[in-house]
Amino acid sequence: FDAVCWSIRIRFWEFLLSAQQQAQADAQKAAETAAPTLKRKIALGRIANDTTYGRSLLRTSNQDNLGKQVYNMFAKALGSSGQFTVLERDDLEAIDREAARNGSATQQVGADILVIGSLTEFGRKTIGKSGFMSATKKQVAYAKMDVRIVDTSTGIVLFTASGAGEASNESGSVLGWNSSRAGYDGTLDDKAISQAVSEVINKMVTGLADRPWKTYFLSVEKGSVAISGGASQGLKPGMKLSVKTLGKQVKSAQTGFLVRLPGTEIAKIEVTQNF
């Protein structure tokens, strides 16, 4: 009987191990066949504080510390997302000066997407509750952002996105004795803004996912071609790509915009190595 039980246990663990190995193989296969991530060139335009928080008659727009904080947090989150190549715009003059000291010139690269937006809601409040033997005090910070995603080749707003965040801290007392003490917590502001920024960027990634993935030839020599992209954008040996002609550009009589017609597929290429 003991031998039968051990046999059943061994077979059970073998089954679990086999299922785990199969799950890992399926996950690896799905990762290998997943569509590559094209890092779009993106730049931040006006990211400002449009709320009344932190403003006064004695301050100018150049003294908008909260607006600068939102801009920096947004730029950092864009770079950390791994979905975009972020182009610096706010401190270009400083970059040009450093390039001049090195005897070179800054390469001015245009962005595919421009983000314009602002902090539209921001504030703090304190909520208190009093009972027969206890009392609580809760600090709450709330932030909301609205942005527009603009195609720089046409100036058309592709879509808009909003994000909101909230952070809180609570303290309480019983019979006049503080069970927990909480003074003014300045980090609540940062946490609320960070949540709003994160929600906006997640919506941006989702909204841009349906736009066609494309890259371009760098050179064509002796039957082989070099294309831009690389491992950082998900290109791996064995992947097959479709080569299409650049469609004719015509002017729409309805909108007045130039429209690029679909190209024609003329070849397929296979990625053999990254460099």
Side-chain angles (χ1 to χ4, degrees), residues 120-143:
T120 54
E121 294 182 29
F122 184 77
R124 296 177 65 102
K125 62 182 178 180
T126 301
I127 303 173
K129 293 182 179 180
S130 299
F132 177 68
M133 300 177 62
S134 65
T136 61
K137 177 182 178 182
K138 185 177 183 181
Q139 302 176 52
V140 181
Y142 175 81

Short mmCIF file of all heavy atoms in Angstrom, two decimals, residues 120-143:
data_model
loop_
_atom_site.label_atom_id
_atom_site.label_comp_id
_atom_site.label_asym_id
_atom_site.label_seq_id
_atom_site.Cartn_x
_atom_site.Cartn_y
_atom_site.Cartn_z
N THR A 120 -5.05 69.93 -14.59
CA THR A 120 -6.30 70.69 -14.61
C THR A 120 -7.02 70.72 -13.26
O THR A 120 -7.83 71.62 -13.02
CB THR A 120 -7.26 70.09 -15.65
OG1 THR A 120 -7.42 68.69 -15.41
CG2 THR A 120 -6.71 70.30 -17.05
N GLU A 121 -6.72 69.76 -12.39
CA GLU A 121 -7.32 69.76 -11.06
C GLU A 121 -6.25 69.33 -10.06
O GLU A 121 -5.52 68.36 -10.30
CB GLU A 121 -8.52 68.80 -10.98
CG GLU A 121 -9.72 69.21 -11.82
CD GLU A 121 -10.88 68.25 -11.66
OE1 GLU A 121 -11.00 67.64 -10.58
OE2 GLU A 121 -11.66 68.09 -12.62
N PHE A 122 -6.16 70.07 -8.97
CA PHE A 122 -5.21 69.70 -7.93
C PHE A 122 -5.61 70.39 -6.63
O PHE A 122 -5.98 71.57 -6.64
CB PHE A 122 -3.78 70.11 -8.29
CG PHE A 122 -2.76 69.66 -7.28
CD1 PHE A 122 -2.35 68.35 -7.22
CD2 PHE A 122 -2.25 70.57 -6.36
CE1 PHE A 122 -1.42 67.93 -6.28
CE2 PHE A 122 -1.33 70.16 -5.40
CZ PHE A 122 -0.91 68.84 -5.38
N GLY A 123 -5.53 69.66 -5.53
CA GLY A 123 -5.88 70.26 -4.25
C GLY A 123 -5.72 69.29 -3.11
O GLY A 123 -5.45 68.09 -3.31
N ARG A 124 -5.86 69.81 -1.92
CA ARG A 124 -5.78 69.00 -0.70
C ARG A 124 -6.98 69.32 0.20
O ARG A 124 -7.53 70.42 0.14
CB ARG A 124 -4.49 69.32 0.08
CG ARG A 124 -3.21 68.97 -0.65
CD ARG A 124 -2.03 69.40 0.19
NE ARG A 124 -1.98 68.64 1.44
CZ ARG A 124 -1.16 67.61 1.65
NH1 ARG A 124 -0.33 67.22 0.69
NH2 ARG A 124 -1.15 66.97 2.81
N LYS A 125 -7.33 68.36 1.01
CA LYS A 125 -8.40 68.59 1.99
C LYS A 125 -8.15 67.70 3.21
O LYS A 125 -7.46 66.68 3.12
CB LYS A 125 -9.76 68.29 1.38
CG LYS A 125 -9.94 66.85 0.93
CD LYS A 125 -11.32 66.66 0.29
CE LYS A 125 -11.50 65.22 -0.22
NZ LYS A 125 -12.83 65.01 -0.83
N THR A 126 -8.71 68.11 4.32
CA THR A 126 -8.60 67.36 5.56
C THR A 126 -9.99 66.96 6.02
O THR A 126 -10.89 67.80 6.14
CB THR A 126 -7.91 68.19 6.65
OG1 THR A 126 -6.60 68.57 6.20
CG2 THR A 126 -7.77 67.38 7.93
N ILE A 127 -10.15 65.66 6.23
CA ILE A 127 -11.44 65.12 6.64
C ILE A 127 -11.31 64.62 8.09
O ILE A 127 -10.41 63.84 8.40
CB ILE A 127 -11.88 63.98 5.72
CG1 ILE A 127 -11.95 64.45 4.27
CG2 ILE A 127 -13.23 63.42 6.16
CD1 ILE A 127 -12.22 63.33 3.29
N GLY A 128 -12.19 65.06 8.97
CA GLY A 128 -12.15 64.63 10.35
C GLY A 128 -13.46 64.01 10.81
O GLY A 128 -14.54 64.42 10.37
N LYS A 129 -13.34 63.01 11.66
CA LYS A 129 -14.52 62.36 12.24
C LYS A 129 -14.34 62.27 13.75
O LYS A 129 -13.27 61.92 14.24
CB LYS A 129 -14.72 60.95 11.66
CG LYS A 129 -15.10 60.93 10.18
CD LYS A 129 -15.33 59.50 9.71
CE LYS A 129 -15.73 59.46 8.24
NZ LYS A 129 -15.96 58.07 7.77
N SER A 130 -15.39 62.61 14.48
CA SER A 130 -15.33 62.56 15.94
C SER A 130 -16.43 61.65 16.46
O SER A 130 -17.59 61.74 16.03
CB SER A 130 -15.50 63.97 16.54
OG SER A 130 -14.46 64.82 16.11
N GLY A 131 -16.04 60.78 17.39
CA GLY A 131 -16.99 59.89 18.03
C GLY A 131 -17.03 60.13 19.53
O GLY A 131 -16.44 61.09 20.04
N PHE A 132 -17.71 59.25 20.25
CA PHE A 132 -17.84 59.39 21.71
C PHE A 132 -16.49 59.26 22.40
O PHE A 132 -16.18 59.98 23.35
CB PHE A 132 -18.83 58.35 22.25
CG PHE A 132 -18.97 58.39 23.73
CD1 PHE A 132 -19.57 59.47 24.37
CD2 PHE A 132 -18.49 57.34 24.51
CE1 PHE A 132 -19.69 59.51 25.75
CE2 PHE A 132 -18.61 57.38 25.89
CZ PHE A 132 -19.22 58.46 26.51
N MET A 133 -15.66 58.35 21.91
CA MET A 133 -14.37 58.09 22.56
C MET A 133 -13.19 58.18 21.61
O MET A 133 -12.05 57.95 22.02
CB MET A 133 -14.38 56.70 23.21
CG MET A 133 -15.46 56.51 24.27
SD MET A 133 -15.49 54.84 24.94
CE MET A 133 -13.87 54.74 25.68
N SER A 134 -13.43 58.51 20.35
CA SER A 134 -12.33 58.50 19.38
C SER A 134 -12.53 59.60 18.35
O SER A 134 -13.63 60.14 18.19
CB SER A 134 -12.24 57.14 18.69
OG SER A 134 -13.41 56.91 17.91
N ALA A 135 -11.44 59.89 17.65
CA ALA A 135 -11.48 60.88 16.58
C ALA A 135 -10.42 60.50 15.54
O ALA A 135 -9.37 59.94 15.88
CB ALA A 135 -11.21 62.29 17.11
N THR A 136 -10.71 60.78 14.28
CA THR A 136 -9.76 60.49 13.20
C THR A 136 -9.58 61.74 12.34
O THR A 136 -10.48 62.57 12.23
CB THR A 136 -10.25 59.34 12.31
OG1 THR A 136 -11.51 59.70 11.71
CG2 THR A 136 -10.39 58.06 13.10
N LYS A 137 -8.41 61.84 11.74
CA LYS A 137 -8.08 62.95 10.86
C LYS A 137 -7.42 62.37 9.61
O LYS A 137 -6.45 61.62 9.70
CB LYS A 137 -7.14 63.93 11.55
CG LYS A 137 -6.68 65.09 10.68
CD LYS A 137 -5.70 65.97 11.45
CE LYS A 137 -5.19 67.10 10.58
NZ LYS A 137 -4.20 67.95 11.32
N LYS A 138 -7.93 62.72 8.43
CA LYS A 138 -7.44 62.17 7.18
C LYS A 138 -7.06 63.29 6.22
O LYS A 138 -7.87 64.17 5.93
CB LYS A 138 -8.51 61.27 6.54
CG LYS A 138 -8.07 60.54 5.29
CD LYS A 138 -9.17 59.62 4.79
CE LYS A 138 -8.72 58.83 3.57
NZ LYS A 138 -9.80 57.94 3.06
N GLN A 139 -5.81 63.27 5.73
CA GLN A 139 -5.35 64.22 4.72
C GLN A 139 -5.46 63.56 3.34
O GLN A 139 -5.04 62.42 3.16
CB GLN A 139 -3.89 64.60 4.97
CG GLN A 139 -3.63 65.22 6.33
CD GLN A 139 -2.15 65.47 6.53
OE1 GLN A 139 -1.50 66.10 5.71
NE2 GLN A 139 -1.62 64.98 7.64
N VAL A 140 -6.01 64.28 2.38
CA VAL A 140 -6.23 63.73 1.04
C VAL A 140 -5.69 64.73 0.00
O VAL A 140 -5.97 65.94 0.08
CB VAL A 140 -7.73 63.47 0.77
CG1 VAL A 140 -7.92 62.89 -0.63
CG2 VAL A 140 -8.31 62.53 1.82
N ALA A 141 -4.91 64.22 -0.95
CA ALA A 141 -4.44 65.03 -2.08
C ALA A 141 -5.00 64.42 -3.36
O ALA A 141 -5.02 63.19 -3.54
CB ALA A 141 -2.92 65.05 -2.15
N TYR A 142 -5.47 65.27 -4.27
CA TYR A 142 -6.11 64.81 -5.51
C TYR A 142 -5.51 65.57 -6.68
O TYR A 142 -5.24 66.77 -6.61
CB TYR A 142 -7.62 65.05 -5.45
CG TYR A 142 -8.33 64.70 -6.75
CD1 TYR A 142 -8.66 63.39 -7.05
CD2 TYR A 142 -8.67 65.70 -7.67
CE1 TYR A 142 -9.30 63.07 -8.24
CE2 TYR A 142 -9.32 65.38 -8.85
CZ TYR A 142 -9.63 64.07 -9.12
OH TYR A 142 -10.27 63.75 -10.30
N ALA A 143 -5.28 64.85 -7.80
CA ALA A 143 -4.71 65.47 -9.00
C ALA A 143 -5.36 64.88 -10.25
O ALA A 143 -5.72 63.70 -10.28
CB ALA A 143 -3.20 65.25 -9.06
#
